[in-house]
């Protein structure tokens, strides 16, 4: 079972640790001492506090020193906040329960599970329900060349089979050519994907004939239609591309899956 919250905490902790290390290095590169500001009714004065409680007035014309000390003060302030957040997250991670509520059903006695309806379904139950929701696929014309995926599905191209197999091998739930109604028309994006970390649905379109001008034109029109249904590139719509001479980039596909579909 994959519960995302502890992983999110660990990711944030890693970010904070890296940020704290970077801040300490940056702070050490600035002049020693600190900046203080005094306000009067008519002016603002800047002072350089150094070791031994020595205080020296800084002329406003010395913008370099003022900027350096102001930046250092900001970095020290940011460092303090980062360390406070890091301490809180480490404590939260230490206290995080071994079993989250999404795992309650799976951790229950198997002999009783069939009599129980989960209040908060775990990933497994959620995926099963999502995959079992029926939908009408786009018909494939008899005699058309097809390919069979590892899951046993029939798809229209070798590249679509490769995409399907890579999603399946990584445990990414997907539906092939699930219908999307748009202004009285039904479109069938190549892959509808369930992103388990957020429970959001995203789409992947494979553009396999980018060297065909008419095909490219159709894909532009299609993308605008999908946008009307709230399916937009960079948000919940992603693309892969190839031409007759430039095949699908599998390394790029794997990176896309890990970055956007987990």
């Amino acid at each position: 079972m994959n519960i995302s919250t502890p992983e999110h905490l660990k990711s944030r902790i890693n970010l904070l640790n890296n940020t704290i290390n970077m801040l300490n290095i940056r702070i050490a590169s600035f002049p020693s001492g600190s900046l203080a500001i005094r306000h009067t009714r008519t002016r603002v004065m800047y002072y350089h506090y150094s070791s031994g409680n020595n205080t020296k007035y800084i002329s406003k014309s010395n913008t370099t020193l003022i900027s350096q000390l102001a930046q250092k003060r900001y970095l020290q302030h940011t460092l303090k906040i980062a360390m406070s957040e890091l301490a809180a997250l480490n404590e939260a991670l230490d206290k995080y329960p071994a079993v989250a509520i999404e795992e309650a059903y799976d951790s229950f006695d198997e002999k009783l599970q069939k009599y129980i309806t989960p209040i908060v379904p775990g990933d497994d139950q959620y995926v099963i329900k999502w995959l079992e929701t029926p939908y009408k696929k786009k018909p494939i014309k008899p005699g058309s060349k097809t390919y069979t995926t590892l899951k046993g599905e029939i798809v229209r191209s070798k590249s679509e089979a490769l995409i399907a197999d890579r999603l399946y091998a990584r445990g990414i739930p997907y539906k092939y050519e699930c219908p999307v109604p748009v202004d009285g028309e039904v479109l069938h994006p190549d892959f509808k994907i369930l992103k388990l970390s957020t429970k959001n649905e995203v789409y992947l379109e494979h553009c396999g004939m980018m060297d065909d001008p008419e095909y490219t034109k159709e894909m532009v029109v299609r993308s605008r239609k999908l946008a009307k249904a709230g399916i937009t590139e960079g948000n919940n719509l992603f693309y892969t591309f190839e031409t007759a001479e430039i095949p699908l980039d599998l390394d790029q596909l794997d990176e896309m899956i890990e970055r956007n579909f987990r």
Side-chain angles (χ1 to χ4, degrees):
M1 181 71 66
N2 176 27
I3 302 303
S4 61
T5 301
E7 294 307 314
H8 287 171
L9 288 178
K10 291 175 183 177
S11 176
R12 183 69 178 178
I13 287 171
N14 184 58
L15 171 66
L16 289 169
N17 276 320
N18 291 336
T19 301
I20 288 170
N21 290 335
M22 178 271 293
L23 287 171
N24 281 319
I25 293 171
R26 289 281 304 279
I27 290 169
S29 70
F30 284 88
S32 61
S34 59
L35 180 70
I37 306 175
R38 292 181 184 174
H39 299 269
T40 69
R41 295 182 63 181
T42 58
R43 60 187 297 200
V44 177
M45 294 175 288
Y46 300 92
Y47 293 89
H48 184 187
Y49 282 76
S50 56
S51 59
N53 291 324
N54 294 321
T55 305
K56 184 178 180 180
Y57 172 74
I58 308 174
S59 170
K60 285 187 178 179
S61 63
N62 193 352
T63 55
T64 299
L65 181 58
I66 293 174
S67 296
Q68 289 176 330
L69 293 176
Q71 182 68 19
K72 180 181 179 182
R73 183 170 170 174
Y74 160 74
L75 294 177
Q76 289 171 327
H77 177 65
T78 305
L79 176 62
K80 183 179 179 180
I81 293 173
M83 292 180 69
S84 177
E85 182 182 351
L86 179 62
L89 291 183
N90 277 322
E91 182 179 359
L93 190 60
D94 288 340
K95 294 181 177 179
Y96 203 86
V99 177
I101 58 172
E102 291 87 352
E103 299 173 305
Y105 176 83
D106 288 336
S107 66
F108 214 68
D109 190 321
E110 292 183 2
K111 293 182 176 61
L112 296 177
Q113 285 181 352
K114 64 181 180 180
Y115 301 106
I116 296 169
T117 301
I119 297 299
V120 183
D123 285 354
D124 291 345
Q125 290 77 40
Y126 197 94
V127 169
I128 290 171
K129 183 177 180 180
W130 188 81
L131 290 174
E132 288 183 346
T133 302
Y135 68 97
K136 188 175 181 180
K137 293 183 180 181
K138 183 178 179 180
I140 297 178
K141 294 180 181 179
S144 299
K145 187 172 181 59
T146 59
Y147 298 81
T148 304
T149 69
L150 291 174
K151 201 165 69 169
E153 288 181 310
I154 304 300
V155 298
R156 299 173 191 275
S157 73
K158 181 179 178 181
S159 292
E160 288 180 343
L162 288 170
I163 293 170
D165 289 345
R166 274 171 145 71
L167 291 171
Y168 182 70
R170 287 165 173 77
I172 307 294
Y174 72 88
K175 295 180 179 180
Y176 180 66
E177 294 191 337
C178 197
V180 174
V182 184
D183 291 343
E185 182 182 1
V186 178
L187 302 180
H188 296 81
D190 295 327
F191 296 93
K192 182 179 183 179
I193 297 166
L194 177 62
K195 186 174 180 178
L196 276 176
S197 61
T198 61
K199 301 296 191 295
N200 290 333
E201 294 175 337
V202 299
Y203 294 83
L204 173 60
E205 285 270 62
H206 177 63
C207 305
M209 296 188 297
M210 293 303 293
D211 44 359
D212 182 334
E214 284 302 315
Y215 175 86
T216 303
K217 181 180 178 181
E218 290 175 6
M219 290 306 300
V220 172
V221 174
R222 181 181 175 90
S223 69
R224 293 180 179 178
K225 291 179 179 179
L226 288 172
K228 290 183 179 181
I231 302 172
T232 56
E233 184 179 4
N235 178 31
N236 55 355
L237 175 61
F238 301 87
Y239 288 96
T240 52
F241 302 95
E242 70 176 322
T243 69
E245 296 183 355
I246 305 174
L248 173 65
D249 188 328
L250 295 179
D251 290 336
Q252 189 177 69
L253 171 63
D254 291 340
E255 183 181 347
M256 177 186 291
I257 291 173
E258 293 300 319
R259 185 175 63 248
N260 298 301
F261 303 154
R262 287 290 184 188

